[in-house]
C-alpha cells in the first residue's frame, strides 16, 4: 500500500529558529514529491521535486529529495510567526497525489 | 487568494437538501480535482477530471455527483448527505496529467460544508 509519512507531527519553535521537516514515502510509480503550506484554507504550493540531490529554494524555504532513500526534507530558516501552518508533503503516483498527515508548525514570537 | 475560485465559501444543508458546489479556474488547466478534507486530516481525493472526462472516482458514494461542464468549470452536486459528510471540500486544477506528468496541483480555498 502506498504511504507518505511526515515527521514530526507537530513542532513548536521560536522566531529566528531553523526547522527541518521530514517526509518519507513508499509508493509505486513515483513521479514527483510536492510540498504544500496550509493555513486556514487552501493548501498553497511550495515546491515540486522530481530529481534527487537538486535543492529547490524560495526565500527562507528550501527542499531536497533523495530518491534512493525515499525521503525529502523541507528547511525553513529564520522562522517567522507567519510561517505557522500545517506543512503537507504529497507524492504523485498514478495520476493521484498521496498526502502525508502533515506537520503542524507553530512559531512563537 | 488563489487562482482557483470556489463558491460558496460556507454551506449548511439538511440531509434532505440538494445543493451544488462550484469551482472555476482560468489558467488553461485541463485536469480538475475534488478533494475532501476533515479536520486535522490531509486532503482525500474524490474525483479527477482530465480533458472534461471523469478519469478517477475514488469509490465515492453516489450522493456526491461530479460534473465538468467545460474545461474551466467543475461542479459537485450533493444530495441526501449525512452529518459525517461535513468537511472542507477542496477543488484543485493542474496542467495535463497533474503529478503524473510533473505538474503541481493548485487548490481553491474550499467550501466548508456542514450537514445538519
Amino acid at each position: 500500500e502506498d504511504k507518505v509519512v511526515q515527521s514530526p507531527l507537530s513542532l513548536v519553535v521560536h522566531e529566528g529558529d531553523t526547522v527541518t521537516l521530514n517526509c518519507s514515502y513508499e509508493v509505486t510509480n513515483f513521479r514527483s514529491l510536492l510540498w504544500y503550506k496550509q493555513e486556514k484554507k487552501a493548501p498553497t504550493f511550495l515546491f515540486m521535486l522530481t530529481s534527487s540531490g537538486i535543492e529547490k529554494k524560495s526565500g527562507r524555504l528550501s527542499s531536497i529529495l533523495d530518491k534512493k532513500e525515499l525521503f525529502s526534507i523541507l528547511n525553513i530558516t529564520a522562522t517567522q510567526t507567519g510561517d505557522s501552518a500545517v506543512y503537507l508533503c504529497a507524492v504523485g503516483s498514478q495520476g493521484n497525489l498521496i498526502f502525508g498527515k502533515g506537520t503542524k508548525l507553530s512559531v512563537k514570537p | 487568494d488563489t487562482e482557483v475560485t470556489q463558491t460558496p465559501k460556507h454551506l449548511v444543508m439538511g440531509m434532505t437538501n440538494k445543493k451544488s458546489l462550484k469551482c472555476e479556474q482560468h489558467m488553461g488547466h485541463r485536469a480538475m480535482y475534488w478533494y475532501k478534507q476533515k479536520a486535522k486530516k490531509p486532503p482525500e481525493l474524490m474525483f479527477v477530471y482530465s480533458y472534461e472526462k471523469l478519469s478517477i472516482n475514488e469509490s465515492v458514494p453516489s450522493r456526491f455527483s461530479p460534473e465538468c461542464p467545460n474545461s474551466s468549470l467543475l461542479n459537485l452536486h450533493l444530495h441526501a448527505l449525512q452529518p459525517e459528510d461535513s468537511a472542507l471540500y477542496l477543488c484543485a486544477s493542474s496542467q495535463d496529467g497533474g503529478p503524473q506528468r510533473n505538474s503541481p496541483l493548485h487548490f481553491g480555498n474550499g467550501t466548508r460544508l456542514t450537514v445538519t
Side-chain angles (χ1 to χ4, degrees), chain A residues 18 31 50 54 57 61 64-65 68 71 75 84 95 100-101 104 107:
Chain A
T18 292
R31 295 292 183 179
T50 56
I54 298 173
K57 205 168 164 63
L61 278 66
I64 198 160
L65 173 67
K68 184 179 175 188
F71 78 91
N75 277 323
S84 297
K101 292 185 177 180
K104 183 176 180 180
V107 181

Side-chain angles (χ1 to χ4, degrees), chain A residues 60-108:
Chain A
R60 296 177 293 102
L61 278 66
S62 63
S63 184
I64 198 160
L65 173 67
D66 185 329
K67 288 168 76 172
K68 184 179 175 188
E69 300 297 330
L70 307 182
F71 78 91
S72 172
I73 59 172
L74 175 69
N75 277 323
I76 308 175
T77 58
T79 51
Q80 301 170 358
T81 54
D83 295 326
S84 297
V86 174
Y87 290 83
L88 293 165
C89 171
V91 173
S93 172
Q94 308 279 29
N96 185 12
L97 272 186
I98 303 161
F99 281 88
K101 292 185 177 180
T103 293
K104 183 176 180 180
L105 174 65
S106 299
V107 181
K108 304 292 186 189

Side-chain angles (χ1 to χ4, degrees), chain B residues 3 9 13 16 26 29 37 41-42 44 48 52 60 64 91 102:
Chain B
E3 294 180 79
K9 292 182 182 178
M13 61 185 288
T16 58
H26 294 288
H29 290 173
Q37 187 175 26
K41 300 281 187 186
E44 296 176 10
V48 181
E52 299 156 53
V60 179
F64 295 93
C91 173
N102 301 332

Side-chain angles (χ1 to χ4, degrees), chain A residues 3-99:
Chain A
K3 61 181 178 179
V4 177
V5 178
Q6 291 186 246
S7 63
L9 290 181
S10 67
L11 189 56
V12 180
V13 300
H14 287 94
E15 272 193 315
D17 288 350
T18 292
V19 297
T20 298
L21 309 183
N22 303 292
C23 177
S24 64
Y25 61 91
E26 289 179 33
V27 300
T28 52
N29 294 312
F30 172 88
R31 295 292 183 179
S32 56
L33 186 143
L34 297 90
W35 284 98
Y36 286 87
K37 175 184 181 183
Q38 187 172 27
E39 296 172 85
K40 291 184 180 175
K41 294 183 178 176
T44 305
F45 172 70
L46 297 175
F47 298 111
M48 172 178 260
L49 303 156
T50 56
S51 301
S52 273
I54 298 173
E55 185 184 51
K56 292 221 173 177
K57 205 168 164 63
S58 176
R60 296 177 293 102
L61 278 66
S62 63
S63 184
I64 198 160
L65 173 67
D66 185 329
K67 288 168 76 172
K68 184 179 175 188
E69 300 297 330
L70 307 182
F71 78 91
S72 172
I73 59 172
L74 175 69
N75 277 323
I76 308 175
T77 58
T79 51
Q80 301 170 358
T81 54
D83 295 326
S84 297
V86 174
Y87 290 83
L88 293 165
C89 171
V91 173
S93 172
Q94 308 279 29
N96 185 12
L97 272 186
I98 303 161
F99 281 88

